[in-house]
Amino acid sequence: MRPARPEFVPDASLSREEMETLQHEVAAAATFDDDLSFDPANVSLASSSLVPDERRPLVAGVDQAFLDDHAVSAIVVLRGGEVVERAHAVTELSIPYVPGLLSFREGGPILDAFAELECDPDLVLFDGSGRIHFRQAGLATHMGVTLDVPAVGVAKSLLCGRPRESVDERPEGWRTPIEAADGVEPRDVDADDTEEFADTVVGYAYQSRQYPNSKQINPLYVSPGHRVSAETTVDLVERLGGEYKLPEPTRLADAYADDCKREY
DNA sequence: GCGACAG
DNA sequence: ATCTTGTCGC
């Protein structure tokens, strides 16, 4: 799979200011409404289904592992509970991690792995934020727009924005909106409605797992990457959840990245 | 100036 | 993200 929008491919050699300018363009090109090729209700981890394969989406999980200055980017594609393809790439890293600019460090390596992928996923889960980002252009948004594929971001901690309610000690399945507050810029520069933008729901905190008598687990922070709404994003992550905290596609990609790293 | 900050 | 054994609990 190759970039549909080459002009948005993250370039690690850009200046910080140029990176932020590109992020504004990516955010302007992003769609935070549902524009899917499938019915979210047909998303499940069941290995067999009465629903014909054509209507069961190919869902990909993407994750990375690191060794010194190299990134191992891994992609695992599922149809229901079955793995239908895996791909990976080892890429040299050129810049350090900077909060808010993650896609410029890891985006290129991820696209290298996508170049190795034969199929075209109907949905991709990324490890990081999408719309929950200072300029509404987190890793999932940047990659989703560049590949023009429905994308969601799944992060283990909150980059910015504000949970509507406290996220402490919540039961499995619980969710609460993440509002833009003052940490997220509006996309429309001409808008004079920045006050109400603060109430915009840019994602959700979602308690995917909780063990009975064990230490409290932190929620996941999910957000739209591209071509999916915040509400559908949580629904999809819920439907793709298995026995662990991370949704199955992400968890499998995580394990596959580690495997590739060991034998490298 | 202070605090916050995906992976 | 990564360096890492045992250990507590379902």
Side-chain angles (χ1 to χ4, degrees):
Chain A
M1 187 182 201
R2 300 282 177 177
R5 307 293 299 274
E7 69 271 32
F8 293 133
V9 170
D11 178 354
S13 71
L14 297 178
S15 67
R16 178 172 189 135
E17 182 180 28
E18 293 171 325
M19 289 179 178
E20 295 185 354
T21 296
L22 183 58
Q23 290 184 324
H24 283 124
E25 293 168 2
V26 165
T31 298
F32 299 132
D33 294 306
D34 294 328
D35 180 15
L36 308 168
S37 63
F38 59 92
D39 182 346
N42 288 338
V43 172
S44 85
L45 292 175
S47 40
S48 64
S49 168
L50 294 177
V51 179
D53 269 5
E54 303 76 55
R55 294 187 193 175
R56 305 186 79 201
L58 290 176
V59 181
V62 181
D63 196 22
Q64 294 169 300
F66 302 85
L67 339 62
D68 295 316
D69 54 349
H70 285 271
V72 178
S73 307
I75 305 173
V76 174
V77 185
L78 301 177
R79 172 163 259 144
E82 307 297 313
V83 174
V84 299
E85 190 182 350
R86 299 189 302 181
H88 77 279
V90 178
T91 310
E92 185 165 54
L93 293 162
S94 42
I95 58 173
Y97 164 68
V98 175
L101 300 177
L102 181 66
S103 64
F104 289 91
R105 170 180 165 82
E106 305 186 349
I110 287 173
L111 293 176
D112 287 343
F114 269 99
E116 300 295 315
L117 193 68
E118 301 279 356
C119 71
D120 292 278
D122 297 296
L123 174 72
V124 184
L125 273 54
F126 291 92
D127 60 315
S129 290
R131 196 183 187 185
I132 295 179
H133 179 274
F134 310 120
R135 291 165 291 282
Q136 301 189 66
L139 180 70
T141 302
H142 202 148
M143 294 295 96
V145 168
T146 301
L147 294 167
D148 191 26
V149 67
V152 310
V154 179
K156 293 181 289 297
S157 58
L158 189 60
L159 175 62
C160 60
R162 164 176 46 71
R164 189 172 287 173
E165 307 172 66
S166 164
V167 304
D168 298 333
E169 300 178 34
R170 298 301 189 173
E172 207 167 285
W174 176 89
R175 58 180 70 177
T176 197
I178 299 299
E179 297 171 340
D182 295 320
V184 182
E185 296 177 10
R187 281 190 294 180
D188 185 351
V189 188
D190 302 326
D192 58 339
D193 57 338
T194 53
E195 295 90 88
E196 48 260 46
F197 180 76
D199 296 325
T200 300
V201 176
V202 293
Y204 277 85
Y206 170 62
Q207 192 72 51
S208 59
R209 201 74 239 253
Q210 204 59 275
Y211 299 103
N213 306 321
S214 193
K215 184 167 64 77
Q216 286 293 319
I217 304 299
N218 295 321
L220 249 25
Y221 294 93
V222 305
S223 57
H226 183 45
R227 293 171 55 177
V228 62
S229 67
E231 290 65 36
T232 300
T233 292
V234 220
D235 292 341
L236 289 169
V237 170
E238 178 168 57
R239 301 188 74 93
L240 292 167
E243 304 303 305
Y244 303 87
K245 171 171 177 170
L246 294 175
E248 210 58 8
T250 302
R251 196 181 69 79
L252 292 174
D254 184 271
Y256 181 48
D258 278 335
D259 290 346
C260 296
K261 175 180 169 178
R262 326 195 89 173
E263 50 188 88
Y264 178 69

